[in-house]
Amino acid sequence: MVRLMPMLFALFFIVQSTACYSTALFEDKALEYDLAGQIEFAVADGDTLVGNELWVDDESKISREPHQYLHFRVTIENALNQPVPLWFSITFPSIEHLYVSDGTNTWITGDALRFSSREVLVPNYHFPFILPAQDKMQIYGYMEGKILRYNFFVATPEKVNKMYVDTLQRDMTFFGAMSILTILSLVVFTITRKVAFLSFAAFIFATSFWFFRVFGYAFEILWPNTPQLNDITYAGSIYAVVLTAGWTVFSSLKRPNRTVYGLRFANVCGLILPILGLLVWHYIGLDEALRLPVILLFPFVIFASFVIYKEHKNGSDRAKWLAVTVFPVVLSAFSLVLIALFGIDLQLEPITTFMVGVLITCMFMVILASRLFVKIVQKERDTEKANALLKSEQASKLEALIQERTKALRASNEMLKKLAANDGLTNLPNRRSIDLFVDASFSSEADNHHIAVALIDLDHFKNINDTFGHDAGDTVLIEIANILRPLNSEQCIAGRFGGEEFAIIQQNVSEQRFSDTLADIHTQINALSLQQLSGLKIGACIGWTICKNATDIVHAFRRADNALYKAKDAGRNRVIAAVLR
């Protein structure tokens, strides 16, 4: 009994450490599957799990220090009878280092790395994989950063692309309108020299830049090779929004020969707020420093409302119009704070709600400013004509901007199609492209259609990685790809089948010609001499066969695979054909 206890304890530990991940069932290609509740989390002090971590499926139960790593895992099950290309996606991210793997492919990226480290070059993180038919696939990884913001889901590339089209149209419409409003305010300031118009322009620009940074466009477009700018620009932009908002309120209420109520106090707060933010960042943390201006929104709104009330009581006609102007952004900001800080579900899309509030307020600001400007330089009849002309110009500029962004979006879609069809390392066709080529080869009803199938596996590739490093292994794969790439044509496809394995599929070719082609490929592989391998020669096993019709496809690949293993058993580095029975 005493000897049995350690064995039982070991068995219990093995069962616990090898427990199945939570499973998300994929049933419909047209849907986006949110993984909240299916994905599990564990906190560790490093990027390697020691085995005693506590896994939870509720992120609210996670207690993590800024230096700790957040590990995650999920199993995705395909309920369909066909393999499905999917993207494992992380949206609204704030992650310094991110590692994701599906057991075969591994991705390392994050906000602390260059933008080009992302598998798909868009603001959010997307990782493509093929979910086998009626099978499961495990996705796991870890993330690290002082602040972590994340949301996991899986969907088909087509579904994600459609989401990006809708989002990009929304964002570009917003930025186009905000740009026009900023330029308009600057033009009016240049004519009238009234500071209120300059404050309008500063507030609109600061708000636009904050959205540009939050949505990830700034990192993608402005500093893709300088990730160090992400945190400082985010902090600077959110503080700029608060300060320019205060400036707009007081400059709008300013009257000749009168001091706006509370102006001195506001100036002192405007000087102290950035310093306070830097102190909080340095002594407490970045998360709290970024939350500070959002939290201060409540006293700012109360103070600004009181100032507007006092000015109205003192006979300022502008105060009531200013109250109407700022009401939309205040209302939308309150909804955003309630959702972001307190988790209150208001059945609203927070970012879109805030964008609409900001846009309405900015439009009201321009209308209010135009009203003041009209009183100075024009009569009422001229004002109506100017407003009509302004709306026409806005519409035409906005339409031109949307057309320009649509062209850019089409180019991006073409790039995404290429990424989905090619292997990221070798730029050869990937397994999905090979499968599609095989299916297309038998789409015709002609009786004389057949294909030749060859599988190539590099000898002792793991030893190359272990001895010379993964960089050397990647170099070997790239050199093999350079040998195979000239084979690609309308009648032939040569691509990466997975890991160190490649495949060649050729239509309507004779056995002798295909055998000669494989012999030449094998000779070129043996002739490779890489400085990184210190003279080590590269060997490869090749198994091949002929597939006569569509019903023989699966058996043909098995024959080629069996021939490949016969080559390994026979001493490796040889070409063996499978006998067609």
Side-chain angles (χ1 to χ4, degrees):
M1 184 65 179
V2 175
R3 295 181 178 179
L4 184 60
M5 291 301 293
M7 296 176 62
L8 291 175
F9 178 81
L11 178 61
F12 175 78
F13 178 79
I14 293 173
V15 172
Q16 288 295 102
S17 62
T18 58
C20 293
Y21 298 174
S22 296
T23 301
L25 186 63
F26 187 88
E27 300 176 293
D28 191 341
K29 294 182 179 181
L31 297 180
E32 167 195 337
Y33 286 83
D34 188 353
L35 298 179
Q38 282 80 37
I39 196 162
E40 293 183 319
F41 301 93
V43 176
D45 290 328
D47 57 5
T48 302
L49 296 171
V50 298
N52 62 349
E53 291 80 9
L54 175 63
W55 289 89
V56 298
D57 57 7
D58 185 355
E59 58 184 295
S60 64
K61 298 179 181 178
I62 299 172
S63 177
R64 188 190 72 91
E65 297 297 327
H67 69 278
Q68 291 182 307
Y69 287 68
L70 181 63
H71 293 255
F72 56 87
R73 64 186 187 183
V74 67
T75 296
I76 304 171
E77 180 178 356
N78 188 0
L80 305 177
N81 293 322
Q82 57 183 347
V84 180
L86 291 178
W87 282 6
F88 177 74
S89 304
I90 307 177
T91 57
F92 297 107
S94 178
I95 305 167
E96 291 187 14
H97 296 93
L98 175 62
Y99 170 93
V100 176
S101 177
D102 62 2
T104 301
N105 301 299
T106 296
W107 301 276
I108 300 176
T109 182
D111 286 357
L113 304 179
R114 293 186 176 186
F115 193 81
S116 57
S117 67
R118 306 182 182 210
E119 181 69 12
V120 181
L121 297 180
V122 293
N124 294 321
Y125 294 117
H126 303 282
F127 306 97
F129 66 96
I130 304 295
L131 185 60
Q134 293 288 326
D135 202 352
K136 299 179 180 179
M137 176 171 286
Q138 296 174 348
I139 305 292
Y140 57 90
Y142 61 80
M143 58 181 68
E144 181 270 332
K146 299 180 182 66
I147 308 171
L148 294 183
R149 300 283 188 269
Y150 49 83
N151 179 43
F152 298 89
F153 75 91
V154 290
T156 62
E158 295 79 8
K159 177 66 176 177
V160 179
N161 284 335
K162 176 63 168 58
M163 293 167 55
Y164 268 113
V165 170
D166 296 339
T167 301
L168 190 62
Q169 289 177 344
R170 179 202 68 180
D171 294 349
M172 293 306 105
T173 301
F174 172 77
F175 289 129
M178 296 290 276
S179 300
I180 292 172
L181 295 174
T182 303
I183 294 172
L184 178 61
S185 298
L186 290 174
V187 169
V188 178
F189 166 73
T190 303
I191 297 173
T192 63
R193 296 297 175 180
K194 290 192 175 292
V195 178
F197 295 105
L198 182 60
S199 68
F200 293 164
F203 173 74
I204 298 170
F205 179 80
T207 305
S208 300
F209 183 79
W210 180 74
F211 276 109
F212 199 70
R213 167 61 185 83
V214 168
F215 292 161
Y217 298 122
F219 189 23
E220 178 183 3
I221 298 173
L222 300 182
W223 53 81
N225 298 320
T226 316
Q228 300 88 344
L229 294 177
N230 283 330
D231 288 342
I232 188 64
T233 53
Y234 184 89
S237 63
I238 194 170
Y239 279 90
V241 170
V242 175
L243 294 176
T244 54
W247 183 23
T248 299
V249 170
F250 283 94
S251 62
S252 300
L253 293 175
K254 184 179 181 181
R255 289 181 289 172
N257 303 321
R258 290 187 63 90
T259 301
V260 180
Y261 180 85
L263 178 60
R264 182 175 298 179
F265 177 76
N267 288 335
V268 173
C269 291
L271 293 174
I272 293 177
L273 182 60
I275 299 175
L276 180 62
L278 291 174
L279 292 176
V280 172
W281 187 349
H282 185 267
Y283 290 104
I284 301 180
L286 177 62
D287 195 8
E288 287 73 15
L290 297 181
R291 286 175 178 265
L292 180 62
V294 181
I295 296 173
L296 291 178
L297 178 65
F298 290 99
F300 169 77
V301 170
I302 294 173
F303 175 67
S305 301
F306 187 70
V307 169
I308 293 173
Y309 170 76
K310 292 291 291 185
E311 287 297 305
H312 178 65
K313 295 293 288 184
N314 291 334
S316 173
D317 184 56
R318 300 178 183 178
K320 64 180 181 181
W321 292 108
L322 183 61
V324 173
T325 298
V326 300
F327 178 76
V329 71
V330 170
L331 184 63
S332 61
F334 267 116
S335 67
L336 182 64
V337 171
L338 291 175
I339 295 173
L341 295 185
F342 304 106
I344 299 176
D345 187 5
L346 300 179
Q347 301 299 320
L348 298 172
E349 205 290 308
I351 297 299
T352 302
T353 302
F354 189 53
M355 289 171 63
V356 172
V358 169
L359 187 57
I360 293 176
T361 288
C362 292
M363 293 179 65
F364 279 0
M365 284 181 178
V366 174
I367 293 174
L368 179 60
S370 299
R371 181 174 178 272
L372 298 176
F373 175 62
V374 167
K375 286 183 177 181
I376 299 174
V377 297
Q378 288 185 333
K379 297 180 181 181
E380 189 66 26
R381 184 181 302 174
D382 295 333
T383 302
E384 294 177 359
K385 294 180 180 179
N387 286 338
L389 179 61
L390 176 62
K391 291 180 181 179
S392 175
E393 291 176 352
Q394 288 177 337
S396 61
K397 289 181 180 179
L398 186 58
E399 182 180 357
L401 180 61
I402 293 176
Q403 291 177 352
E404 179 183 348
R405 294 301 181 183
T406 301
K407 291 180 180 178
L409 181 61
R410 290 172 181 168
S412 299
N413 286 339
E414 291 299 322
M415 179 189 68
L416 292 175
K417 289 181 181 178
K418 182 178 180 181
L419 288 173
N422 290 351
D423 174 61
L425 174 65
T426 63
N427 203 30
L428 286 178
N430 58 22
R431 183 163 184 168
R432 176 174 178 269
S433 298
I434 294 172
D435 291 340
L436 293 175
F437 182 85
V438 172
D439 292 341
S441 298
F442 293 106
S443 60
S444 173
E445 296 299 328
D447 295 332
N448 60 344
H449 279 198
H450 69 273
I451 61 172
V453 178
L455 298 179
I456 305 173
D457 190 276
L458 302 183
D459 292 340
H460 305 296
F461 186 74
K462 184 177 183 301
N463 292 339
I464 294 176
N465 279 331
D466 294 342
T467 304
F468 302 100
H470 287 277
D471 288 342
D474 290 346
T475 301
V476 171
L477 294 176
I478 292 172
E479 290 297 327
I480 299 299
N482 292 336
I483 294 174
L484 298 179
R485 187 171 292 107
L487 297 178
N488 284 302
S489 66
E490 292 184 358
Q491 300 294 321
C492 182
I493 185 170
R496 188 178 180 186
F497 210 55
E500 68 271 21
E501 192 169 349
F502 298 83
I504 302 174
I505 313 296
Q506 188 167 1
Q507 299 174 350
N508 303 324
V509 63
S510 65
E511 294 187 26
Q512 183 59 47
R513 184 176 178 183
F514 193 63
S515 176
D516 293 342
T517 299
L518 295 180
D520 180 58
I521 293 296
H522 191 257
T523 300
Q524 293 184 56
I525 293 175
N526 289 160
L528 284 176
S529 179
L530 301 180
Q531 185 177 359
Q532 291 174 271
L533 303 186
S534 302
L536 178 67
K537 293 299 182 180
I538 300 171
C541 293
I542 303 178
W544 67 277
T545 188
I546 299 297
C547 176
K548 294 296 185 180
N549 51 57
T551 59
D552 187 42
I553 290 176
V554 174
H555 298 293
F557 273 87
R558 288 177 181 171
R559 290 197 301 273
D561 195 50
N562 290 335
L564 186 146
Y565 276 96
K566 287 182 180 178
K568 291 183 177 182
D569 294 338
R572 298 182 183 269
N573 197 30
R574 60 193 65 208
V575 182
I576 291 182
V579 178
L580 181 61
R581 297 177 180 176

